[in-house]
Amino acid sequence: MGEAKEIYSAPNIGATSAWFHLAYDLFCLENNAKLQAKLIARLKNKDGFRGARYEVFVAAAMIRAGFEIEFENEEEGSSTHCEFTATCKASGRRYSVEAKQRNPDHQTGDQNSRYHLGRRLHGALRKEAKYPRIVFVDINVPDTATGDEIPVFLERALTNIRASEGRKINGRPLPPAYLFVTNHPFEHNLEGSVFRTSVLAEGFQIPDFKIDTAFPSIRAAYESRKAHADMHQLLKSMNEHSAVPVTFNGEAPELAFGEHQPRLLIGETYLVPMRMVRRSGENSLRQRWM
């Protein structure tokens, strides 16, 4: 018998949180080898790490929410492409997904530009899309608050985003999109243990998917929720998986790390040792489970 394994705990600082979130996201991509291999190759390029890291998060978040992810065909150069095509397993609907991250203002010190997401949103909406659009934008600002109130930076970003509605690109109105604004402030507090992740969902030029939409009746609210059920499913999953679980596959830590007899799980295949015995005077063999 070896020594019993133990479960250790330590303060969760920004550096370790960033590391474990990346590991958990890559774990969620494990069942899509092509997707994982391509994104890992991009992560190894330090110049493009930040953008690749955010794409890993977006892909993993959608997989956890019940979507299948596949890359757009970037070799087809006659038009621009979004990062992914996502198919909801529950509804069968397909979406074109784009991921953008705002660069931090460490050098400029411009406090106002951190809330201006219009340029990144316009860049995402300029790309050709075969299906309804989902755009993820990471605002990338420090946040050491501990309350449940909507962060001020998200309120200001929302105001900036809504100011972009009605604008045109090359004389054409901007297309509608489901917009998810996120914030993962780990890199801003690498040695600290106080940071808060956030996500805000907004319908860009989708009136009944705005966070403050008032419905005239319960039926209208129900019909709206049904029409956007895939996005409500995605938002719910992002909230439920905002923290990295102790075990990536959801197994109880005591069973995963402790000393115990292996459990028999339904659906798994096991090799069970057995012994063949012959009783005197009998020609038949009997099996006895060990």
Side-chain angles (χ1 to χ4, degrees):
M1 296 288 292
E3 295 183 2
K5 298 179 181 179
E6 298 182 20
I7 300 174
Y8 296 93
S9 62
N12 183 30
I13 61 175
T16 57
S17 188
W19 174 265
F20 282 117
H21 273 82
L22 174 57
Y24 182 44
D25 289 345
L26 290 175
F27 172 83
C28 293
L29 301 185
E30 187 176 17
N31 65 341
N32 191 326
K34 182 179 179 181
L35 180 69
Q36 188 185 58
K38 186 166 185 176
L39 288 175
I40 287 177
R42 291 188 55 205
L43 288 172
K44 292 180 178 179
N45 179 356
K46 65 178 183 179
D47 294 330
F49 173 83
R50 180 175 280 112
R53 171 65 187 99
Y54 192 56
E55 287 185 32
V56 169
F57 161 74
V58 170
M62 300 205 71
I63 288 173
R64 288 190 287 262
F67 289 78
E68 292 182 343
I69 303 295
E70 58 182 323
F71 279 110
E72 294 277 357
N73 183 12
E74 296 180 356
E75 295 180 0
E76 200 285 301
S78 62
S79 62
T80 56
H81 299 276
C82 295
E83 264 86 23
F84 313 114
T85 294
T87 304
C88 180
K89 296 178 183 179
S91 68
R93 297 190 186 100
R94 309 187 79 184
Y95 301 89
S96 295
V97 184
E98 183 72 7
K100 298 288 186 182
Q101 186 180 51
R102 190 195 68 83
N103 293 325
D105 301 313
H106 293 162
Q107 295 181 350
T108 65
D110 185 353
Q111 298 298 311
N112 292 322
S113 67
R114 66 176 53 184
Y115 311 118
H116 295 170
L117 303 180
R119 182 168 59 86
R120 289 164 184 81
L121 179 58
H122 292 177
L125 297 178
R126 284 191 183 97
K127 293 188 176 183
E128 297 292 330
K130 297 179 181 178
Y131 310 104
R133 300 169 186 263
I134 302 175
V135 178
F136 283 80
V137 181
D138 191 68
I139 197 168
N140 195 13
V141 297
D143 186 3
T144 57
T146 57
D148 296 328
E149 70 281 356
I150 298 178
V152 173
F153 58 82
L154 282 185
E155 292 181 343
R156 295 182 181 178
L158 181 61
T159 299
N160 177 252
I161 290 166
R162 289 185 174 180
S164 297
E165 292 184 311
R167 294 182 181 177
K168 297 182 179 181
I169 297 178
N170 298 326
R172 295 184 300 175
L174 291 170
Y178 294 106
L179 180 60
F180 291 83
V181 181
T182 63
N183 189 49
H184 298 95
F186 310 126
E187 67 175 88
H188 299 284
N189 196 12
L190 292 176
E191 297 182 0
S193 59
V194 181
F195 36 76
R196 176 177 59 174
T197 60
S198 307
V199 57
L200 178 148
E202 171 76 352
F204 183 80
Q205 300 194 150
I206 304 177
D208 63 337
F209 193 70
K210 295 185 178 299
I211 62 173
D212 54 1
T213 298
F215 295 97
S217 65
I218 295 178
R219 177 177 292 275
Y222 169 76
E223 293 297 334
S224 173
R225 189 171 187 86
K226 184 170 66 173
H228 307 298
D230 295 350
M231 298 302 102
H232 288 290
Q233 174 182 317
L234 174 57
L235 182 61
K236 179 181 178 181
S237 175
M238 292 177 69
N239 285 321
E240 291 176 346
H241 297 95
S242 60
V244 176
V246 176
T247 56
F248 288 177
N249 62 0
E251 187 177 6
E254 293 78 10
L255 297 176
F257 306 124
E259 191 72 22
H260 61 86
Q261 292 294 326
R263 296 183 302 159
L264 297 181
L265 302 177
I266 296 175
E268 297 294 331
T269 302
Y270 299 92
L271 179 64
V272 181
M274 58 185 178
R275 183 171 63 192
M276 309 299 292
V277 296
R278 183 186 297 274
R279 299 184 62 179
S280 177
E282 296 182 359
N283 293 326
S284 62
L285 294 176
R286 299 179 60 196
Q287 297 179 349
R288 185 169 67 188
W289 301 101
M290 299 298 293

